[in-house]
Amino acid sequence: MKFISKAILISLAIMLLLSRTSYSLFQYSKVHTKRATFVSESFEMGSGSIAAKTFFNIEFPKGHVGVKSFDSELVDEEGNPIPSFETYLHHWFAIKYIQNITMSDDPKLRHPDDFSFKRNEGMCNGNILPHYWGFGVESRGTTSNIPEPFAIEQGNPTNVPEGYEEKWLLNIMAIDTRGAEDKKGCTECRCDLMNLPKDFYNVTVDVHNQPLTTDYKGGLFCCQDNLQCKQIDGFQGPKRKISLRYTISWVDWNKHQVPVKVYILDSTDRITSNGSEIIHDCQAEYTIPANTNSSGDSPHVQKANIPMNKGGYLIYATAHMHSGVVNATLYAENGQTLCTSTPMYGSGNEAGNEKDYLIGMSICYPQPGSIKINDGEILTLESRYVNEFRTGAMGHFYIYLAENLPQ
Ligand SMILES: *[C@@H]1O[C@H](CO)[C@@H](O)[C@H](O)[C@H]1NC(C)=O
Ligand SMILES: *[C@@H]1O[C@H](CO)[C@@H](O)[C@H](O)[C@H]1NC(C)=O
Ligand SMILES: *[C@@H]1O[C@H](CO)[C@@H](O)[C@H](O)[C@H]1NC(C)=O
Ligand SMILES: *[C@@H]1O[C@H](CO)[C@@H](O)[C@H](O)[C@H]1NC(C)=O
Ligand SMILES: *[C@@H]1O[C@H](CO)[C@@H](O)[C@H](O)[C@H]1NC(C)=O
């Protein structure tokens, strides 16, 4: 009797202890982590239409915060998730900018420096890949969540010049493939499937501000707002209003947060040097030629060797790629694999699990402190796709680096 009651007492004590721990963890996340879901402005899409939208001044947590995650998906007017085989989310990017608080509403009265992008730490030239968050069709199955106590610091008033405020914009590209003659071609923005204006190749410039040549067969520049991808004869789908629904979780910035820096590396980056400085030349997208090698079913590999000015401890890594991705790997200078991000393909019929569509990319979460990238280290990025004709392919690798570890 006595023995049993002692056992019960001990297990009671253990239960109390356990429940206490989980209670305090629960309270910790309750008190510190906030979460909100926002819906972007809506836009109308009919069957086969292309939407390429930029919405300025979107809702974003106010004040000096540490963002823990930012995840998105396409929804209809009732808030129902839209499956990728109906409307394909090519990409969404959340981009930071600062704006003159008293900027004139009249564009003619604005000054050139009333507005400027504040890019991430990634080294692409100019305004290429400037975003902090953003994926594509893989969004629903790819989390941007960062482990405690790391966070992406935003809204630090000391980083915003007097007279300016920090704001965010969303850049969204969606492709309605209902009734498409060639769904895959439409999702890859194949130029010959779009009702391009007659003078398209004369007036359109590429990422380097050079006129597009007729060698450009597909990609971002052929998916322009309001264009139409080729439909099956006679198909007429209903129009509907679409929005990007996004959920952000964050903490108020305090001394317990450890900042991570956001880098987006591009497997098309062509590195050169002018003697004193490294020059990056990111293409953002690339074309994979038709594979004429009958014995070759090995993947197409796009590779870049990218020097990091500043290193840090690797906290999070993943890749943004398109359907047809085999995987993407980031290597250290000594050849060690830092992260391989692998795709998940769907097998069902519902949003988030669409058969044969890319529905997620895996994330690497190395034990904080276990992987250190040195200042000046040259990383190698390889993005691999199934080897067949493909336009607008992307190989973007997102890494979050902490310059310091928690004390
Ligand atoms: C902001 O815009 C106003 C109105 O155009 C202008 O007078 C002011 O100089 C601008 N401020 C800065 C910091 O450029
Ligand atoms: C536009 O491009 C086409 C094909 O490259 C060329 O034949 C034509 O002369 C160009 N038109 C103008 C106005 O430059
Ligand atoms: C290299 O490029 C940088 C940045 O554009 C420039 O400031 C520097 O003067 C260039 N150096 C040489 C040797 O051309
Ligand atoms: C053809 O594919 C094989 C097997 O993947 C590869 O070893 C070979 O180098 C390829 N040849 C060419 C010309 O690409
Ligand atoms: C990535 O793909 C390559 C090429 O198919 C393969 O050899 C490698 O094992 C893959 N890596 C992982 C971690 O899946």
Side-chain angles (χ1 to χ4, degrees):
M1 238 356 218
K2 225 175 181 174
F3 182 72
I4 291 172
S5 59
K6 198 167 178 184
I8 290 174
L9 261 176
I10 291 172
S11 48
L12 251 175
I14 291 173
M15 271 168 64
L16 255 173
L17 251 171
L18 280 176
S19 67
R20 234 201 155 126
T21 325
S22 57
Y23 178 67
S24 62
L25 276 176
F26 178 67
Q27 218 186 21
Y28 179 82
S29 62
K30 256 312 221 218
V31 170
H32 296 271
T33 306
K34 302 173 189 178
R35 173 182 294 271
T37 297
F38 306 104
V39 179
S40 79
E41 246 175 81
S42 68
F43 45 100
E44 193 172 73
M45 295 192 79
S47 55
S49 71
I50 311 291
K53 307 288 181 189
T54 300
F55 298 125
F56 290 92
N57 197 19
I58 60 161
E59 289 185 275
F60 192 86
K62 298 261 177 283
H64 190 183
V65 296
V67 177
K68 305 288 300 176
S69 68
F70 189 142
D71 298 315
S72 297
E73 67 173 335
L74 287 181
V75 294
D76 68 14
E77 264 177 299
E78 280 83 48
N80 304 306
I82 294 183
S84 304
F85 49 78
E86 292 184 5
T87 307
Y88 183 92
L89 178 56
H90 184 279
H91 69 254
W92 62 272
F93 294 152
I95 299 172
K96 180 162 70 174
Y97 62 96
I98 55 166
Q99 185 180 306
N100 181 341
I101 291 171
T102 55
M103 182 173 87
S104 170
D105 288 334
D106 181 353
K108 277 180 270 170
L109 297 177
R110 286 183 194 159
H111 311 271
D113 49 3
D114 276 350
F115 173 101
S116 59
F117 292 116
K118 300 304 263 183
R119 58 165 307 131
N120 60 42
E121 308 280 332
M123 290 88 62
C124 279
N125 41 306
N127 284 326
I128 299 178
L129 307 185
H131 52 288
Y132 278 85
W133 297 275
F135 293 121
V137 70
E138 75 277 29
S139 291
R140 287 193 179 98
T142 311
T143 177
S144 56
N145 196 45
I146 328 177
E148 295 291 347
F150 301 97
I152 300 171
E153 184 183 6
Q154 299 296 356
N156 184 344
T158 62
N159 293 340
V160 182
E162 190 76 27
Y164 286 84
E165 57 190 332
E166 187 173 296
K167 295 181 175 226
W168 290 84
L169 68 81
L170 268 180
N171 176 253
I172 303 167
M173 183 183 286
I175 302 162
D176 189 319
T177 62
R178 293 173 296 167
E181 196 181 275
D182 174 358
K183 275 183 188 254
K184 177 173 176 283
C186 292
T187 63
E188 289 182 7
C189 302
R190 213 56 74 64
C191 303
D192 60 3
L193 292 174
M194 305 293 170
N195 60 339
L196 298 172
K198 271 217 168 57
D199 59 352
F200 175 78
Y201 284 104
N202 303 61
V203 300
T204 312
V205 293
D206 66 11
V207 282
H208 304 103
N209 251 336
Q210 297 303 308
L212 277 188
T213 70
T214 47
D215 292 342
Y216 187 81
K217 299 296 181 210
L220 288 172
F221 296 100
C222 283
C223 265
Q224 295 189 2
D225 198 27
N226 291 323
L227 288 183
Q228 184 73 29
C229 199
K230 201 162 183 206
Q231 297 277 98
I232 297 166
D233 272 345
F235 187 90
Q236 193 62 62
K239 289 196 159 142
R240 59 181 177 192
K241 284 200 164 140
I242 308 268
S243 305
L244 190 81
R245 180 165 66 197
Y246 58 102
T247 298
I248 303 178
S249 63
W250 74 96
V251 292
D252 289 324
W253 192 262
N254 61 36
K255 63 178 194 302
H256 303 297
Q257 312 309 319
V258 178
V260 289
K261 291 192 168 161
V262 175
Y263 294 81
I264 301 178
L265 312 179
D266 185 354
S267 63
T268 68
D269 195 352
R270 300 170 186 155
I271 309 291
T272 50
S273 164
N274 72 357
S276 60
E277 268 193 53
I278 289 162
I279 297 165
H280 293 265
D281 181 12
C282 296
Q283 320 299 311
E285 61 175 7
Y286 59 104
T287 295
I288 299 176
N291 181 13
T292 50
N293 185 349
S294 54
S295 64
D297 44 2
S298 56
H300 177 272
V301 182
Q302 176 71 32
K303 179 171 169 175
N305 297 315
I306 304 170
M308 301 290 294
N309 291 336
K310 191 103 182 81
Y313 296 97
L314 186 64
I315 303 302
Y316 170 103
T318 192
H320 164 63
M321 297 186 63
H322 293 170
S323 284
V325 45
V326 174
N327 61 34
T329 304
L330 187 68
Y331 301 93
E333 191 163 335
N334 67 10
Q336 182 201 350
T337 296
L338 300 179
C339 173
T340 294
S341 181
T342 57
M344 285 156 273
Y345 285 96
S347 57
N349 200 29
E350 68 277 9
N353 183 28
E354 299 89 339
K355 189 173 183 318
D356 299 336
Y357 279 79
L358 177 64
I359 57 167
M361 291 295 293
S362 69
I363 315 281
C364 297
Y365 287 115
Q367 180 64 37
S370 66
I371 296 181
K372 181 162 195 267
I373 293 166
N374 296 313
D375 295 352
E377 181 164 349
I378 298 172
L379 302 182
T380 296
L381 171 57
E382 289 186 352
S383 58
R384 308 184 183 99
Y385 279 95
V386 175
N387 201 345
E388 59 190 22
F389 179 52
R390 211 176 278 288
T391 61
M394 293 187 175
H396 302 165
F397 216 85
Y398 294 46
I399 56 176
Y400 297 171
L401 301 184
E403 280 165 19
N404 298 297
L405 290 173
Q407 297 306 306

